[in-house]
Amino acid sequence: MRKKLTMTFLLMILSILSQSQGVSKNEIKEASYKIAELVKFNYVLKEKGYEIAAKFIKNYKTGRFDFADNWKQLDSVMTKSLNEISNDGHLYTWHNLEIVKQLKQEKSEERKEDVLSFSMIERLLKAILDFKRLK
């Protein structure tokens, strides 16, 4: 029973620490511009996406996100900003380290696949050219 309580306590502390990781001004800037870029180029209505992105960056520049001391606070205030600007409840931010790791790994694997695909195409083209030379 004591081990269970100790483990539960440790997990609770780890959870709190992971949620309260500090966020720097540079990280806020990077996140703001990346979110604006994603909205700008991926929102269903192109003009509306540009408008939302511009207003979101304006919120960043006026310091609306500066008070955030951790990622949880930052994603809350950014989500609120996106919802107020767009009136679209489907836009939100969520900081989750496990998902970040998973996405980075998937992106790395995609790059490897792209390199392999390019290499295979390159070899195929070389084989076709060699075959044509033999004719």
Side-chain angles (χ1 to χ4, degrees):
M1 180 70 173
R2 191 174 205 162
K3 280 186 178 182
K4 281 186 180 181
L5 285 174
T6 304
M7 273 307 261
T8 304
F9 182 72
L10 285 173
L11 289 173
M12 188 173 70
I13 289 175
L14 287 173
S15 175
I16 291 168
L17 288 174
S18 71
Q19 290 179 0
S20 64
Q21 287 180 337
V23 59
S24 71
K25 299 295 181 200
N26 193 45
E27 289 172 318
I28 293 172
K29 180 181 180 180
E30 283 181 41
S32 298
Y33 277 93
K34 185 63 178 175
I35 290 166
E37 178 186 333
L38 289 169
V39 170
K40 184 177 181 178
F41 294 113
N42 296 292
Y43 198 74
V44 177
L45 304 171
K46 193 171 188 172
E47 294 82 27
K48 179 92 171 168
Y50 278 64
E51 179 185 327
I52 294 167
K55 288 180 180 179
F56 187 78
I57 290 301
K58 184 178 179 184
N59 281 346
Y60 159 72
K61 287 182 177 179
T62 59
R64 180 165 181 186
F65 311 138
D66 288 350
F67 78 90
D69 293 325
N70 59 54
W71 286 102
K72 187 170 179 68
Q73 287 177 347
L74 184 61
D75 72 30
S76 293
V77 72
M78 286 181 159
T79 295
K80 186 175 181 180
S81 173
L82 287 169
N83 289 327
E84 288 172 359
I85 295 166
S86 68
N87 294 317
D88 184 347
H90 296 98
L91 290 177
Y92 61 90
T93 62
W94 182 41
H95 184 260
N96 183 312
L97 292 176
E98 288 303 314
I99 291 175
V100 170
K101 282 183 198 174
Q102 182 182 356
L103 290 172
K104 283 182 178 179
Q105 182 179 1
E106 287 174 8
K107 194 171 187 176
S108 174
E109 289 170 5
E110 284 176 13
R111 285 186 187 145
K112 289 176 187 172
E113 288 175 11
D114 288 345
V115 169
L116 289 173
S117 297
F118 182 75
S119 178
M120 290 169 61
I121 291 169
E122 194 175 41
R123 281 187 258 150
L124 180 60
L125 286 173
K126 187 175 187 239
I128 291 169
L129 291 173
D130 288 344
F131 179 75
K132 284 186 175 184
R133 283 187 203 136
L134 291 175
K135 276 185 153 184

